[in-house]
Amino acid sequence: MKQIFIAVFLVIYSINLYAQTLFTYKGEKVDKEEFLRAFYKNNTGDKSEQAMREYLNLFIAFKLKVKAAKDMRLDTLAGQKNDVQNFRAQLEEEYTNDEKMIRSLSREAFERSQKDIRLSHIFIPFDKNATRRATSYTNGVFSDTAAAFAVAQQAYTALNNKENFTAVAMKYSQDPSVETNKGDIGYITVFTLPYALENIAYNLNTGDYAPPYKSNLGYHIIMKTGERPAFGRMSAAQILLAYATQPTAAEKAAQSRLADSLYSIIIKGGDFEALARQYSGERNAAATGGLMPDFGVGRYEPVFENAVFSLQKDGDVTKPFETPFGIHIVKRIKHQPVATDTLQINTLFKDQVLQDSREKMAREQFAKEVLNKTGYKKIFQNDEELWNATDSFLNNNRIIPLKGINEKTVLFSIGADQVTMSDWTAYVQETRRTTILPYNEMMKQFVALRANSYYRRNLEKYDSRFRDQVAEFSDGNLLFEVMERKVWNKAGEDKTTLKKYYDEHTSKYMWGESAGVIFFTVADKTTAEEIRKDIQPYIKKWKGLSESTSGKIIADSARFDIAQIPGINTSIQPGKLTEMVTDSSDGSVNFVYIINTYKGPDQKSFEEARGLVMNDYQAVLEEKWLTELKKKYPVKVNEKVFKSLVQ
C-alpha cells in the first residue's frame, strides 16, 4: 500500500524556483510551472478552469500535509532517513554513469539505422598486418606514420584537383579488395564501421569526401556516393561451390557448370536444403542445410549483397553468381525490415551501443563532465617529484618527506575536498596488489575515482532532476507517515467511534442486488478450466483448498454487490459460475460460484460495511485535519496568475 500511495502523490510533485508564484502558505511559495507540470501529468483530458481549480485544491492539500509532517519533524525519524537514503542510493546509478550519453548514442544509432549509405574508400596503412596487397611500396606498407600521412595527403590533393575517386583509389589505396571493387565498398549501415569512421560517413553529403582520418591501422579517405532507405536484415540459405586457393580456369568452369545444374533442379522444385547439405562447401552446411546467420547491410561483399537483396519475396532464389570465394546460389528465407518505432530505441540499440566502441567514448565523455562539474584542480605540479616520493613510499612502506612534499601535501582538489599525498599512496598501495600501471595512468584513475565519489555525494548540487526526484520521494514518504498518524491509524484503532459513525449513517450502507458467493483464485488457466468441469467437490471443501493445494487454489466465501463480482454474465442464479477473468500481472484466474442471490435493498451489518465505514470516517478525519491546517498555514492564491493558466 505504501509504495502505491507514494507513487500516486509523486506524480503531482515537481520543483521550479524561477517562476511566478501561484500560491503561498506560511512563508512557502509554489510557482505556476510546478503546478502546471503536476496538472498535465495527471490530467490528460479536461483542461477547463473547473478541472484546474479542483486540482489546485488537491495540490494545496498535498503541500499543507507535507508541511505539517516536517513541522512534526517526521523527516528526522530513522525510518524516514533510511528510506530516503536507500532510494537515493538506487537512483544514483542512473545519474552517476554514462546513461545520458548511452541514451543519446542509442537514439543516434536508431536515426542512422533508417538509411543505408554507399561509400568508396582509400586506405593507406602503417601497420604491417593491415594489408597484404603487393605494390611498389616496401612490402606494401609504410614503416612510419609520417610516410603514410604523406601518401594520404598526395591522394587527398589528387581528389582536390578533381581527379576521379576510382582512379585515385587504384593508385594509392592499399586495401586488398581495391583490385576488384576499385574502392567501392558498397552500402553500409549503423555498426558496420568503427564508430569514428561511421561518424565521418554519416556526416558527408552525397558526392563529398572527407580529409584523411588516422585510425590505429592507417589513414582512411572516405567518399559518400549514395544513400537509400534502410534495407533491414535478411535471413537466407546458400549453396557455395567454393574455389580452391588458386583455382584454374578449368576448375572455375567445372564449378560454374555444377552451379547451373543445381539451379535448374531448384527452380523445378528440387529440395534446396538437401542440395546444400550435399554440395555446399560452406562450413556447417551439412548440419544447417545452408542456413546462414541473419545479416544486414555491409556484412558481405557488395556483389553478394546486391544479388541477395534484389530477391523480391521469401522463397526466391538467385541465379548462380560469382565472388572471389566461389559460385553462390542463395535462397531468401525472410526479410526483416528495419524497425521504425521510436519506442523500441532502447530495446533495439542499447545493448549494441554498450558492446561497441561508442560505450568507451560515452564513459570518457561522462568522466570529463564529472571533472568539469566538480571543479577538479591540480595543485601539486611537479610530477617527477611526486613519482619519486611514491617510489620512496613503496620501498620504505612510509612517506619519507622530500623537498616540497610530505604526507599532508595537497595534490589536487575536487570541489570542497582536498586530496593529499597520504590519500594517493594508500590508493597506489591498494591498486598495485592487483595491477601495475605507470604512475601517470594510475593518477588518472585515482582522480576519476575521487571525482566520481564526490559527484555522487553531492548529486543534488549538480543535477536538478536528481534533486527533484529525491525531494519528491521524501515528501511522498512523509505524506504517507503523517497520513498514518493523523488519519488512517486513528480510524482503524477507534472501533467505538467507527460504530457510532455507522449507527448515525446506516442509510448509506445498504445492500442492493447482491449474491452470496465463493470466490476462486486459481494459479493458471488450465487448472481453472479443470476445476470448472466438476465444481461441486471444490465447493464442499473450499475452506481447506489453499492448504491442500499449496496455494494453487484459493477460495473465500462472502456476499458481494452484483457490480463487484468479476466475470458477471446475464444469468445470476444459484449454482452458476461467472466467466473466468485473467489477471495480466501474474496469469492467475478469478471466477465466482453463486450460492444464492438477494434482490435488496437490505441493511448491511456493521461488520459487512466495516471497510466502507472506515473509508468514509477517514475522509471525515482528513477533512477536519485539513481545515485545521488551513488555519495554521494560511493559503493565499494569486488569482491573476491562476487566470493566466486557464487562458
Side-chain angles (χ1 to χ4, degrees):
M1 177 183 176
K2 182 175 181 179
Q3 287 78 4
I4 296 173
F5 179 83
I6 292 173
V8 169
F9 279 93
L10 287 187
V11 294
I12 70 170
Y13 185 89
S14 60
I15 299 174
N16 187 327
L17 302 177
Y18 310 104
Q20 290 177 287
T21 299
L22 177 59
F23 66 89
T24 60
Y25 61 99
K26 195 68 172 180
E28 304 285 347
K29 296 180 180 180
V30 177
D31 64 79
K32 68 176 186 180
E33 279 76 14
E34 178 182 351
F35 170 76
L36 277 179
R37 284 197 302 274
F39 176 75
Y40 285 119
K41 283 179 182 177
N42 289 273
N43 191 314
T44 57
D46 190 357
K47 305 296 192 299
S48 66
E49 179 175 355
Q50 180 181 351
M52 279 196 170
R53 181 70 70 179
E54 291 173 354
Y55 192 81
L56 177 61
N57 292 333
L58 175 63
F59 197 63
I60 288 172
F62 166 65
K63 289 290 188 179
L64 297 186
K65 293 170 186 174
V66 172
K67 172 68 173 172
K70 290 180 178 178
D71 285 352
M72 293 166 65
R73 296 182 59 79
L74 298 183
D75 54 337
T76 66
L77 295 175
Q80 287 288 318
K81 289 182 175 180
N82 288 338
D83 285 348
V84 173
Q85 189 57 40
N86 290 337
F87 176 79
R88 189 187 189 284
Q90 294 172 20
L91 198 61
E92 274 181 14
E93 293 307 314
E94 181 179 344
Y95 289 88
T96 55
N97 58 28
D98 42 19
E99 187 64 30
K100 180 180 177 181
M101 180 64 72
I102 295 298
R103 287 198 301 270
S104 175
L105 290 170
S106 296
R107 174 164 287 279
E108 177 189 75
F110 170 80
E111 290 169 353
R112 290 179 177 179
S113 75
Q114 301 305 297
K115 65 180 180 181
D116 302 331
I117 57 177
R118 188 170 186 172
L119 301 177
S120 288
H121 177 226
I122 295 171
F123 178 47
I124 315 295
F126 44 75
D127 185 328
K128 65 182 180 180
N129 295 315
T131 178
R132 296 189 300 274
R133 185 189 181 202
T135 71
S136 57
Y137 303 114
T138 304
N139 296 323
V141 299
F142 299 96
S143 59
D144 60 80
T145 59
F149 178 71
V151 175
Q153 285 299 116
Q154 291 175 29
Y156 186 58
T157 300
L159 293 173
N160 288 338
N161 290 334
K162 308 301 181 184
E163 290 190 35
N164 178 270
F165 194 96
T166 298
V168 176
M170 293 299 293
K171 182 176 180 181
Y172 292 101
S173 183
Q174 295 298 296
D175 187 334
S177 65
V178 73
E179 298 287 0
T180 55
N181 66 22
K182 297 178 173 54
D184 179 11
I185 60 175
Y187 283 96
I188 63 100
T189 188
V190 65
F191 299 111
T192 303
L193 300 176
Y195 184 56
L197 292 176
E198 180 191 299
N199 274 337
I200 295 172
Y202 271 91
N203 284 291
L204 287 172
N205 294 318
T206 300
D208 289 349
Y209 53 88
Y213 168 78
K214 180 183 178 183
S215 72
N216 61 343
L217 297 177
Y219 288 93
H220 307 258
I221 302 175
I222 291 177
M223 180 179 184
K224 180 179 175 182
T225 59
E227 67 175 55
R228 69 185 181 193
F231 176 81
R233 295 184 67 79
M234 179 70 85
S235 175
Q238 77 160 330
I239 298 172
L240 170 61
L241 303 180
Y243 287 156
T245 305
Q246 292 182 325
T248 65
E251 289 170 338
K252 285 187 174 184
Q255 293 289 58
S256 179
R257 288 193 297 272
L258 176 57
D260 290 339
S261 298
L262 295 177
Y263 179 69
S264 178
I265 294 171
I266 291 167
I267 61 175
K268 291 177 182 178
D271 188 329
F272 188 99
E273 182 178 324
L275 293 174
R277 292 181 189 278
Q278 183 175 355
Y279 292 101
S280 183
E282 187 183 19
R283 182 184 299 177
N284 298 325
T288 66
L291 185 65
M292 306 171 66
D294 290 358
F295 60 92
V297 171
R299 176 66 177 84
Y300 297 111
E301 290 196 351
V303 64
F304 183 91
E305 291 185 1
N306 290 340
V308 178
F309 293 167
S310 66
L311 296 172
Q312 295 300 302
K313 61 182 185 295
D314 296 347
D316 282 357
V317 178
T318 66
K319 291 182 178 180
F321 64 92
E322 183 182 21
T323 72
F325 302 99
I327 299 178
H328 308 255
I329 304 172
V330 183
K331 179 180 180 180
R332 170 170 153 167
I333 304 299
K334 185 175 182 180
H335 174 230
Q336 303 162 23
V338 67
T340 58
D341 184 359
T342 56
L343 296 177
Q344 298 183 51
I345 289 176
N346 269 352
T347 303
L348 293 171
F349 294 103
K350 183 175 180 179
D351 286 345
Q352 287 179 274
V353 166
L354 290 172
Q355 295 168 18
D356 190 64
S357 58
R358 1 184 147 215
E359 189 271 339
K360 180 181 179 183
M361 188 201 79
R363 280 190 285 107
E364 291 174 348
Q365 180 62 32
F366 180 74
K368 289 178 182 177
E369 290 179 5
V370 167
L371 287 177
N372 183 54
K373 288 180 178 179
T374 55
Y376 163 72
K377 183 179 179 182
K378 184 176 180 179
I379 295 175
F380 190 82
Q381 300 295 332
N382 193 327
D383 288 347
E384 192 62 34
E385 212 171 287
L386 176 58
W387 308 151
N388 289 337
T390 305
D391 281 337
S392 175
F393 166 78
L394 292 174
N395 292 331
N396 298 283
N397 203 29
R398 64 188 182 91
I399 298 175
I400 300 175
L402 300 175
K403 182 180 178 181
I405 188 168
N406 57 55
E407 64 181 12
K408 295 182 179 180
T409 299
V410 177
L411 304 182
F412 58 88
S413 63
I414 304 261
D417 286 358
Q418 291 191 325
V419 183
T420 66
M421 179 64 179
S422 61
D423 297 324
W424 161 245
T425 52
Y427 173 76
V428 171
Q429 191 172 45
E430 180 65 28
T431 303
R432 285 174 68 91
R433 292 176 181 175
T434 56
T435 184
I436 297 178
L437 291 172
Y439 286 148
N440 62 332
E441 292 298 320
M442 292 180 71
M443 179 57 78
K444 287 180 183 178
Q445 293 182 2
F446 181 54
V447 168
L449 186 67
R450 294 301 292 251
N452 194 57
S453 174
Y454 186 86
Y455 184 72
R456 277 178 175 263
R457 287 183 280 116
N458 295 276
L459 260 171
E460 287 83 354
K461 175 182 175 182
Y462 298 113
D463 198 307
S464 61
R465 294 176 306 139
F466 179 85
R467 179 179 65 242
D468 293 351
Q469 282 189 261
V470 173
E472 289 166 11
F473 177 86
S474 177
D475 284 358
N477 220 33
L478 283 175
L479 182 62
F480 185 92
E481 184 74 35
V482 77
M483 286 291 288
E484 271 196 328
R485 291 169 180 248
K486 289 291 188 178
V487 177
W488 300 331
N489 288 348
K490 282 187 177 182
E493 294 167 357
D494 193 351
K495 183 175 180 179
T496 301
T497 304
L498 275 183
K499 181 65 167 61
K500 181 181 178 183
Y501 185 86
Y502 165 80
D503 291 338
E504 293 172 351
H505 302 86
T506 52
S507 61
K508 293 175 62 176
Y509 308 113
M510 303 293 292
W511 287 110
E513 186 179 3
S514 57
V517 307
I518 298 176
F519 194 108
F520 285 89
T521 299
V522 185
D524 58 84
K525 186 176 180 180
T526 301
T527 305
E529 289 173 342
E530 288 297 319
I531 293 172
R532 290 167 64 90
K533 289 177 182 177
D534 185 10
I535 194 67
Q536 289 304 319
Y538 298 94
I539 297 300
K540 295 176 182 178
K541 56 181 181 180
W542 67 265
K543 290 183 180 180
L545 284 176
S546 178
E547 184 176 347
S548 63
T549 64
S550 300
K552 194 172 183 179
I553 307 171
I554 300 173
D556 194 12
S557 177
R559 182 176 177 179
F560 291 93
D561 285 310
I562 295 298
Q564 295 177 302
I565 300 175
I568 202 72
N569 51 40
T570 55
S571 178
I572 302 299
Q573 299 176 11
K576 296 289 186 179
L577 293 170
T578 63
E579 300 294 330
M580 294 188 295
V581 177
T582 302
D583 187 332
S584 59
S585 65
D586 60 6
S588 63
V589 175
N590 298 314
F591 63 88
V592 164
Y593 175 81
I594 308 296
I595 300 174
N596 45 44
T597 59
Y598 308 91
K599 291 294 184 183
D602 300 320
Q603 181 66 55
K604 290 184 177 180
S605 68
F606 172 68
E607 289 302 324
E608 289 174 330
R610 187 185 181 102
L612 295 173
V613 175
M614 185 176 296
N615 285 340
D616 291 343
Y617 186 57
Q618 285 175 350
V620 171
L621 290 178
E622 185 175 1
E623 187 61 34
K624 181 180 178 181
W625 179 45
L626 189 57
T627 301
E628 294 172 358
L629 292 178
K630 288 179 179 178
K631 291 179 180 178
K632 185 176 182 180
Y633 311 123
V635 177
K636 184 176 181 180
V637 177
N638 188 327
E639 290 295 334
K640 183 178 180 180
V641 174
F642 179 76
K643 291 293 184 183
S644 74
L645 304 184
V646 177
Q647 294 167 1

